[in-house]
Amino acid sequence: MLQYPDAKAVVRALEPDEPVTLLRPHAASRAARFFTQKFPGKAMYAVKANPSPDLIRILWDAGVTHYDVASIAEVRMVRDTLLDAVLCFMHPVKTRRAVREAYFEHGVKTYSLDTLEELEKVVEATTAEDGTRASDLNLLVRLRVSSEHSELSLAAKFGVDLADAAPLLQATRQHCDALGICFHVGSQAMTPFAYVQALERVRAAIAEAAVTVDIIDVGGGFPSVYPDLDPPALEDYFKLIHQHFEALPISYSAELWAEPGRALCAEYSSIIVKVEKRRGDELYINDGAYGALFDAAHVAWRFPVTALEDDLRNPLAEFSFYGPTCDDADFMKGPFMLPEDIQAGDYIEIGMLGAYGAAMKTAFNGFGASEAVLVADEPMFSLYRGDRPDPRESDNVVSLR
């Protein structure tokens, strides 16, 4: 794969008519080392955020040994990529065939569930042909918690209500080697207190069920930096999570897990797009809602942008984007701040697309192809490179140091 110093060098060399994906392995490796060294437990990568085998190898080389897989296709892909990785099948609804293949062919021992029906399914699918039941399962009951502190809610689809958790925990305890409780506070949690609230709900569930719990999995939701989304330092999240984990009525040897996705891969890639047309404050570009910019269109995510032409010197102005397809829904409202004299033929880098950008791409209308190259410069924003002002020093953020 070709390597360039930065996005401007790519534009000068290629003058591309199609989008170009810029990969920064050093950024992903740095994020992985941060989590593996500072999170007070086991950090497993949520593969759905970016299922690139190259990225998964980068994370493995940086110390990530556990992977949250949500489908049998992800199980197969990660196992083919990393023979020795620990795979955890954390989607609460699975087919019997998927569980059976995961357990007997790929060595997956860890599963999440949120109903008695799913428990029965997992137990049945992991039972040998001679009737011997699996004795090495880690079964995690997913508890529904609030997403009020997150930018994207994950509170509606999965999770057992607290009022119904005790019977499920008690039944699950009978069929596993290690019993766990997991939850998800929602994507891009903007305060560590999201996890405090969730762990208090975990405490209540354990007390009601009166069972021994061996694993607490605080899920994902760890944030990255975007325009207008500047979260507290991740150390604050880790410290509060650890304090409240230690206070839970759990096994003395209980393990603390997390499932970072966005936080590990957001800085991994960006994309160069070309302006095909300008209409007032609307720019027609060659990637969009059906490509890497799904979140910008469908959940109004504001990604950082920068113009790549040296002769654009006017003040910044607000722009929205239209993608290349024929669909009116291929629209990204923004606002995206770019030089007010930007025109057709100019190039833009759109940053922080490592999370979900690659995973959500389609080939709708014949678009979606893009070349990938390596670049050596830094991502537009970073939680990990050490030059970001510490929000803990702000007057309106409580310091936890």
Side-chain angles (χ1 to χ4, degrees):
M1 188 179 296
L2 295 174
Q3 180 162 351
Y4 298 87
D6 54 27
K8 288 186 177 182
V10 174
V11 169
R12 288 194 298 267
L14 303 180
E15 297 182 351
D17 282 335
E18 302 292 339
V20 178
T21 299
L22 309 182
L23 302 178
R24 295 178 173 86
H26 62 282
S29 180
R30 181 172 56 201
R33 291 194 304 272
F34 182 94
F35 262 86
T36 56
Q37 294 170 9
K38 295 193 175 186
F39 181 74
K42 184 66 66 179
M44 58 178 171
Y45 175 56
V47 172
K48 64 180 177 290
N50 188 328
S52 161
D54 289 340
L55 172 60
I56 288 168
R57 292 188 192 95
I58 291 166
L59 299 179
W60 172 267
D61 290 341
V64 176
T65 58
H66 288 52
Y67 294 80
D68 160 21
V69 286
S71 67
I72 193 61
E74 288 187 355
V75 170
R76 295 166 184 159
M77 184 273 292
V78 180
R79 180 57 75 224
D80 287 345
T81 304
L82 300 173
L83 183 62
D84 297 324
V86 178
L87 308 186
C88 302
F89 208 154
M90 301 305 289
H91 194 301
V93 181
K94 303 164 285 293
T95 67
R96 284 176 173 79
R97 186 174 296 174
V99 175
R100 190 164 189 82
E101 179 183 333
Y103 182 77
F104 286 104
E105 297 184 29
H106 305 292
V108 179
K109 313 295 185 185
T110 301
Y111 301 86
S112 73
L113 56 100
D114 61 4
T115 62
L116 286 169
E117 291 80 6
E118 189 71 13
L119 172 61
E120 293 168 0
K121 184 192 303 179
V122 171
V123 171
E124 177 185 312
T126 56
T127 298
E129 291 183 1
D130 64 1
T132 303
R133 287 189 171 182
S135 60
D136 55 357
L137 295 177
N138 303 319
L139 299 182
L140 281 71
V141 172
R142 178 154 171 174
L143 188 65
R144 179 174 291 132
V145 300
S146 171
S147 287
E148 64 180 302
H149 296 297
S150 300
E151 293 300 307
L152 298 176
S153 175
L154 290 172
K157 189 172 184 179
F158 299 124
V160 61
D161 287 329
L162 179 58
D164 302 319
L168 183 55
L169 284 165
Q170 292 162 350
T172 304
R173 176 76 271 181
Q174 306 307 310
H175 297 283
C176 60
D177 180 45
L179 173 65
I181 297 178
C182 60
F183 57 80
H184 203 304
V185 299
S187 187
Q188 192 74 10
M190 292 303 293
T191 169
F193 292 102
Y195 297 89
V196 173
Q197 289 182 345
L199 287 166
E200 285 304 306
R201 186 162 292 197
V202 169
R203 173 193 294 278
I206 296 172
E208 177 68 19
V211 292
T212 301
V213 173
D214 308 295
I215 300 166
I216 301 295
D217 177 4
V218 300
F222 296 97
S224 294
V225 187
Y226 300 91
D228 299 333
L229 292 176
D230 193 18
L234 286 176
E235 289 91 339
D236 287 1
Y237 291 77
F238 297 170
K239 183 172 183 178
L240 274 179
I241 287 170
H242 186 247
Q243 287 175 348
H244 287 263
F245 165 76
E246 287 287 306
L248 291 174
I250 50 180
S251 164
Y252 74 94
S253 59
E255 297 181 11
L256 175 62
W257 294 4
E259 303 171 22
R262 182 187 304 277
L264 289 183
C265 65
E267 300 177 19
Y268 174 59
S269 67
S270 60
I271 192 169
I272 294 173
V273 298
K274 186 177 184 180
V275 180
E276 304 291 358
K277 172 184 174 180
R278 175 173 176 173
R279 185 177 69 180
D281 61 359
E282 298 167 340
L283 302 179
Y284 291 62
I285 61 176
N286 57 358
D287 199 276
Y290 297 94
L293 301 179
F294 177 95
D295 280 345
H298 297 289
V299 294
W301 212 263
R302 284 190 61 210
F303 294 100
V305 297
T306 187
L308 298 177
E309 313 297 329
D310 292 329
D311 59 349
L312 297 177
R313 303 183 184 278
N314 282 353
L316 298 182
E318 296 182 355
F319 290 92
S320 57
F321 295 154
Y322 273 109
T325 71
C326 296
D327 193 345
D328 269 13
D330 196 357
F331 176 70
M332 293 128 282
K333 181 179 180 180
F336 301 101
M337 305 302 298
L338 291 162
E340 64 180 12
D341 57 346
I342 195 166
Q343 296 293 334
D346 292 337
Y347 292 94
I348 301 167
E349 181 182 3
I350 305 175
M352 304 296 286
L353 287 172
Y356 302 101
M360 307 295 279
K361 290 181 68 171
T362 76
F364 177 58
N365 249 179
F367 297 100
S370 66
E371 182 179 358
V373 300
L374 301 174
V375 287
D377 65 341
E378 288 294 321
M380 293 184 190
F381 294 158
S382 179
L383 284 175
Y384 309 108
R385 67 186 173 213
D387 61 351
R388 175 174 171 255
D390 191 339
R392 291 176 295 183
E393 303 296 343
S394 170
D395 292 337
N396 61 1
V397 177
V398 177
S399 176
L400 300 176
R401 290 190 291 185

